[in-house]
Amino acid sequence: MTDSHRPSGEYPMYPSYGNGEAAYPPPPAYEPAPQSAAEPGAAAWPAPEPAPAQTPAPERRVKRPLALLAAVAIVAAAIGGGTATLVGELADGGSNSSGSGSVVSGTTVSRSSAGTVSGVAAAVAPAIVEISATSSAGDATGSGVVITSDGEIVTNNHVISGASQIKVALSTGRTYTADVVGTDADKDLALIKLQDASGLKTASLGDSSAVKVGDQVVAIGSPEGLTGTVTSGIVSALDRDVTVAKDDDSSGSGQGRQQQGGGNWPFEFGGQQFNGDTGTSKTTYKAIQTDASLNPGNSGGALINMNGEIIGINSAMYSPSSASASGSSAAGSVGLGFAIPVNTVKADLDALRAGNGS
């Protein structure tokens, strides 16, 4: 009988021998060569499995993920450059947003157009209105800023002072009748309210204490009745002492309110009078100076930062030829405009809403 050669531990059970020896045959002293199935009468036992060898398989298993990680890292680095640029752009856009905690909710500049005049104009223009005031002195044109969706509007006191009727035109062309809620002649501020208005676009009131000389600004108003006119410039100076008429005092050569089609917009600065006589009833306040072009009709409109926040209410401008032009509309801005800081407006809102005046 031919011996069977099997790997260790795989021997078949044999009957015990008479001499009591174990029923398992002893393993061969050497590992015989496997028999060929082609030999006649040979059993086709499979060759014994080789002992596990220390192959580099574990290294291959390690190297493969490492190679994959390296490839991923290269791709990530290539994509990451563009991603970092995008994140940087978004972060930069976010840095232009306001950190003021007292901002009135309203218009904001879209991220894609932040920092551009066109972006500011598109965001804020819907909240700027044209005001037409009728009084015994005639018709006057000014501007205003919508601060509540039901039609509260901030403007200059000298725009509506003495008015018997006030009409307001939105940027859409729709008109409303407005009532005076409160005035503060000492600050040249007034609050009016549209009748039966709702769902209006409102402006965001920023923080004028954060304004710096050299900051870029945009002015929106209705000079000479041209609703929604946009100009731009920079902040030229801060805390300028500007004196304007408190009412429509006509004792002087000028009037407290600008007349539509006329160049009169009287104020005093540095001890001199500009654009006519301010009259006997006047007030002085600290103003933001700007070189953004302002013209008659801009009074009461908005001076805006590049985040789309109102930082001032335009109130006076220097027009060198207006005094001698005797009502001619040829006078224009020479880059000396002044605005009431918006923090003054915010501090005065409660008093204006209560109908208190000074």
Side-chain angles (χ1 to χ4, degrees), residues 28-340:
Y30 61 91
E31 185 174 346
Q35 294 181 351
S36 172
E39 295 178 6
W45 297 108
E49 296 180 2
Q54 296 298 325
T55 66
E59 294 184 11
R60 286 197 298 271
R61 285 196 297 271
V62 173
K63 288 181 179 179
R64 190 172 303 161
L66 287 177
L68 178 60
L69 289 175
V72 171
I74 293 173
V75 175
I79 298 176
T83 305
T85 301
L86 176 60
V87 171
E89 289 174 355
L90 295 179
D92 181 66
S95 67
N96 288 328
S97 60
S98 170
S100 172
S102 57
V103 170
V104 176
S105 178
T107 55
T108 55
V109 181
S110 65
R111 180 169 304 210
S112 61
S113 58
T116 67
V117 174
S118 60
V120 172
V124 185
I128 309 302
V129 301
E130 177 184 325
I131 299 174
S132 298
T134 302
S135 71
S136 58
D139 294 332
T141 301
S143 304
V145 179
V146 180
I147 61 170
T148 64
S149 61
D150 61 350
E152 281 189 347
I153 296 172
V154 172
T155 187
N156 287 139
N157 176 65
H158 72 258
V159 170
I160 55 88
S161 178
S164 59
Q165 184 183 57
I166 301 174
K167 293 290 186 180
V168 174
L170 304 183
S171 62
T172 59
R174 184 174 181 179
T175 60
Y176 289 87
T177 297
D179 301 314
V180 176
V181 176
T183 61
D184 189 339
D186 284 341
K187 296 182 178 68
D188 195 19
L189 291 172
L191 184 69
I192 63 175
K193 177 78 180 297
L194 304 184
Q195 296 177 3
D196 303 320
S198 63
L200 303 184
K201 193 76 170 179
T202 62
S204 296
L205 304 186
D207 181 6
S208 53
S209 69
V211 175
K212 300 182 295 295
V213 174
D215 283 352
Q216 188 175 5
V217 290
V218 174
I220 304 179
S222 300
E224 307 291 0
L226 301 174
T227 305
T229 296
V230 177
T231 58
S232 66
I234 63 168
V235 172
S236 304
L238 300 171
D239 299 324
R240 295 295 201 195
D241 288 323
V242 174
T243 300
V244 298
K246 292 179 68 171
D247 52 37
D248 60 345
D249 183 0
S250 58
S251 60
S253 60
Q255 292 180 333
R257 294 186 291 119
Q258 64 266 25
Q259 301 299 307
Q260 182 170 3
N264 294 323
W265 195 344
F267 72 98
E268 296 178 16
F269 173 69
Q272 301 182 58
Q273 288 187 337
F274 303 97
N275 309 340
D277 188 355
T278 55
T280 58
S281 179
K282 49 197 174 186
T283 185
T284 301
Y285 55 83
K286 299 288 186 180
I288 299 171
Q289 181 182 331
T290 179
D291 69 350
S293 183
L294 302 179
N295 292 283
N298 274 114
S299 189
L303 188 66
I304 312 156
N305 66 19
M306 302 311 289
N307 296 325
E309 299 166 340
I310 311 301
I311 59 168
I313 300 297
N314 299 322
S315 59
M317 50 81 67
Y318 173 47
S319 182
S321 61
S322 61
S324 60
S326 185
S328 169
S329 61
S333 173
V334 293
L336 289 176
F338 301 92
I340 301 167

